Amino acid sequence: AQKVTQAQTEISVVEKEDVTLDCVYETRDTTYYLFWYKQPPSGELVFLIRRNSFDEQNEISGRYSWNFQKSTSSFNFTITASQVVDSAVYFCALIPNTGGFKTIFGAGTRLFVKA
Amino acid sequence: SAVISQKPSRDICQRGTSLTIQCQVDSQVTMMFWYRQQPGQSLTLIATANQGSEATYESGFVIDKFPISRPNLTFSTLTVSNMSPEDSSIYLCSVEAGRYEQYFGPGTRLTVT
């Protein structure tokens, strides 16, 4: 099966707290691509990061960091010192190498950051 | 990256009517995609639209209900036909801009009454 699971439906934090959004994926392919997108209340999906299956290096971009672990099929996303503007729905997604370019999205995690 | 615009941004339509959504990209792209996002849900791929060929529809979506045009490398349309309240969703177009990076338009919020 090819699947993305975001077990956290909603998370609520207070500003300046750190928060981790979990993502677990399933795929038969040895080559695949993982993504995170942000969807603020305006509705537009914003591309955050792409990772391919051969690159397990963690990445940091400002307050955002991503932890990719093939051993546990996880691609978790951490926001450090959260801000109200981080409030959004975050989607983890998978593109397996086979099956064309079909993107498989997780159900999304809604993050509320309170001032 | 790619900059994508969609028209209309939102619409309220009567059941039984049809709406055509336009998607314009600021650069030439081979692959364009149409997604539906029902209220509070994740994204579901409707179809893949490549220029010069028929759109490829995912399971559960048919051409009669969601006809798609792709006349050139920067433009596509999706029509939602014979609408019912269940078609109330956000419809998003996206493009693959190289290196498996996918960019999305701002979406069209459709309400069917």
Side-chain angles (χ1 to χ4, degrees):
Chain A
Q2 320 254 42
K3 188 178 169 184
V4 175
T5 301
Q6 294 180 257
Q8 302 150 309
T9 306
E10 288 186 3
I11 301 176
S12 185
V13 299
V14 176
E15 213 171 15
K16 297 183 185 173
E17 284 185 12
D18 298 347
V19 59
T20 295
L21 310 182
D22 297 332
C23 173
V24 174
Y25 62 93
E26 292 177 39
T27 179
R28 296 180 294 270
D29 291 19
T30 55
T31 300
Y32 50 88
Y33 301 85
L34 296 165
F35 302 81
W36 277 94
Y37 292 90
K38 175 182 180 180
Q39 188 175 42
S42 60
E44 185 168 356
L45 253 76
V46 178
F47 168 82
L48 295 178
I49 189 171
R50 177 194 63 129
R51 258 291 174 263
N52 71 53
S53 52
F54 298 110
D55 183 0
E56 282 195 77
Q57 267 196 326
N58 292 330
E59 180 151 342
I60 298 174
S61 176
R63 295 184 297 106
Y64 294 170
S65 62
W66 291 270
N67 182 271
F68 176 28
Q69 294 200 343
K70 287 177 76 170
S71 60
T72 56
S73 297
S74 65
F75 186 43
N76 296 338
F77 173 31
T78 297
I79 302 174
T80 303
S82 59
Q83 299 175 2
V84 173
V85 293
D86 295 327
S87 297
V89 180
Y90 291 86
F91 291 98
C92 181
L94 163 72
I95 297 180
N97 194 45
T98 54
F101 192 79
K102 182 172 179 179
T103 304
I104 301 160
F105 283 88
T109 297
R110 184 177 295 276
L111 175 64
F112 295 98
V113 182
K114 303 177 200 172
Chain B
S1 66
V3 178
I4 305 167
S5 60
Q6 283 185 236
K7 288 182 185 178
S9 58
R10 59 177 65 231
D11 207 340
I12 301 173
C13 300
Q14 303 260 353
R15 72 168 66 212
T17 63
S18 297
L19 175 71
T20 295
I21 302 167
Q22 299 179 6
C23 178
Q24 180 77 50
V25 190
D26 69 341
S27 58
Q28 294 186 338
V29 293
T30 302
M31 302 178 83
M32 293 181 79
F33 308 89
W34 287 97
Y35 286 85
R36 182 175 73 182
Q37 187 178 24
Q38 293 177 303
Q41 303 294 313
S42 187
L43 282 78
T44 302
L45 181 64
I46 297 171
T48 302
N50 292 336
Q51 195 265 338
S53 61
E54 297 271 337
T56 303
Y57 289 83
E58 296 298 311
S59 175
F61 297 96
V62 294
I63 188 170
D64 290 347
K65 175 69 175 176
F66 297 101
I68 289 171
S69 79
R70 182 80 200 273
N72 57 52
L73 291 172
T74 63
F75 187 78
S76 179
T77 67
L78 169 76
T79 299
V80 186
S81 304
N82 188 25
M83 288 184 284
S84 66
E86 292 71 37
D87 294 319
S88 297
S89 296
I90 299 174
Y91 291 86
L92 299 108
C93 73
S94 75
V95 303
E96 193 271 335
R99 301 177 64 209
Y100 282 81
E101 290 182 5
Q102 189 170 184
Y103 293 90
F104 287 81
T108 296
R109 290 179 186 267
L110 171 61
T111 302
V112 184
T113 59

